[in-house]
Amino acid sequence: MKVGFRVPYTFMGGWRAVFNRASALNVNVIEVDLGDPRFQAIPNPVPLARRIKEMASSQGIEIVVKAYTPDINLASFNNTIRAAAQRLLIQAIRFAQNAESEYVIFDPGYLPREYPPRLVNRARTLLSRTISNAQRLTGGTIKLLIENAPRTENRSLASTIEDIKTLSELLGCNIALNIGHANTVGNVTDFIEDLKGKIEVVHLSDNNGDQDSHLPIGYGRINYRRVISALKTAGFDGAYIIDVNSPAGISVSIRRLNALLSSTR
């Protein structure tokens, strides 16, 4: 069983402290989020990726990489913005290659709310071109996983089940299913059932359905026993990654997740 956590921006201390925490929690996956502002101060992240690989290898830990996503749009109609987004995706892929990660998780972007809905297919075409360019320029050795988006004012390209299916087929990418995001859009178990066979990673946090709060498991309204049961029924055998914003929340969530995994059929 693969269980781990995304390193939150609030985590204080260096990477040795991160791996010490992973050892204390007895997890075997760490997600490196390149959206962390601390990465933006590093002109060349490759040496850090190699150090992370060495620490991970010594502890038998798998690394997953999440591309920088806070304020970019891989499907932007603006060529300058889209080119900048592509550069950051390429940076994430090269980081993953040097950290010996199998995956890079990415947010596929959105159509701004000011744009007419009929332009969504054009946005998908631009996204497809961006992804193809990034894979061509980096050798296509890393799996890219689409992360579903929460409900927002903009027209996300990957928030509904149908949108995710469309993009998965168009881009040839499987899915990192964010349970918290899905809960702001619809019925979480519907996402799991309809996307089974495509889900390679799940992100786990809790919320009350109104926004993506990144609460620890059990602090919101998501029925995680039902979620875990649906994932097992769907044959999911990928990584369960806790996606909360505090070290204390990670500890609580790991404990509750392990209990659910051992007690749920």
Side-chain angles (χ1 to χ4, degrees):
M1 189 77 69
K2 296 179 181 180
V3 173
F5 61 88
R6 173 183 60 82
V7 181
Y9 302 170
T10 55
F11 193 97
M12 303 304 293
W15 282 97
R16 178 49 61 192
V18 170
F19 282 92
N20 287 342
R21 173 60 66 91
S23 179
L25 293 172
N26 195 31
V27 301
N28 51 17
V29 182
I30 288 175
E31 181 174 298
V32 179
D33 186 348
L34 297 183
D36 189 323
R38 288 171 289 191
F39 280 104
Q40 309 314 308
I42 303 173
N44 178 13
V46 167
L48 175 58
R50 291 173 178 165
R51 290 200 301 275
I52 288 172
K53 178 195 72 173
E54 291 170 2
M55 287 186 280
S57 297
S58 70
Q59 292 184 211
I61 289 176
E62 179 179 327
I63 297 297
V64 173
V65 175
K66 184 173 181 181
Y68 180 94
T69 60
D71 53 10
I72 65 170
N73 184 2
L74 288 165
S76 176
F77 282 49
N78 184 304
N79 292 337
T80 301
I81 293 173
R82 198 171 65 256
Q86 179 179 296
R87 284 195 298 272
L88 288 167
L89 179 60
I90 288 171
Q91 180 189 67
I93 294 170
R94 288 181 174 151
F95 189 100
Q97 289 169 331
N98 283 278
E100 294 190 353
S101 170
E102 184 178 0
Y103 305 115
V104 166
I105 297 168
F106 72 99
D107 177 346
Y110 58 91
L111 185 71
R113 64 182 183 276
E114 297 85 0
Y115 287 25
R118 61 183 172 78
L119 293 178
V120 70
N121 284 334
R122 173 62 177 161
R124 289 173 178 147
T125 298
L126 292 170
L127 170 64
S128 178
R129 187 181 304 166
T130 305
I131 296 300
S132 294
N133 287 342
Q135 290 177 318
R136 175 176 53 81
L137 292 169
T138 55
T141 59
I142 299 294
K143 286 186 181 180
L144 300 183
L145 300 183
I146 300 164
E147 182 173 32
N148 58 303
R151 183 177 60 213
T152 67
E153 293 182 352
N154 293 315
R155 169 65 160 88
S156 170
L157 298 187
S159 59
T160 69
I161 293 170
E162 288 308 313
D163 281 344
I164 298 164
K165 285 182 173 179
T166 297
L167 276 193
S168 178
E169 182 176 347
L170 176 66
L171 304 179
C173 297
N174 280 346
I175 299 157
L177 181 64
N178 190 306
I179 300 299
H181 291 182
N183 193 54
T184 70
V185 176
N187 187 315
V188 174
T189 56
D190 287 345
F191 279 78
I192 295 168
E193 291 165 6
D194 290 353
L195 299 172
K196 65 182 177 183
K198 292 285 189 180
I199 304 169
E200 299 208 31
V201 170
V202 291
H203 282 158
L204 308 160
S205 66
D206 215 335
N207 61 54
N208 294 317
D210 55 341
Q211 60 181 331
D212 182 28
S213 309
H214 290 274
L215 299 175
I217 290 176
Y219 282 66
R221 296 180 179 175
I222 298 175
N223 186 332
Y224 263 103
R225 185 168 298 281
R226 188 175 296 168
V227 168
I228 298 302
S229 177
L231 286 166
K232 288 187 174 183
T233 299
F236 175 72
D237 63 355
Y240 294 84
I241 298 178
I242 298 300
D243 186 28
V244 303
N245 287 336
S246 72
I250 289 171
S251 299
V252 169
S253 297
I254 291 287
R255 185 172 67 251
R256 290 180 175 174
L257 173 61
N258 284 333
L260 286 166
L261 289 170
S262 62
S263 65
T264 305
R265 294 183 179 179

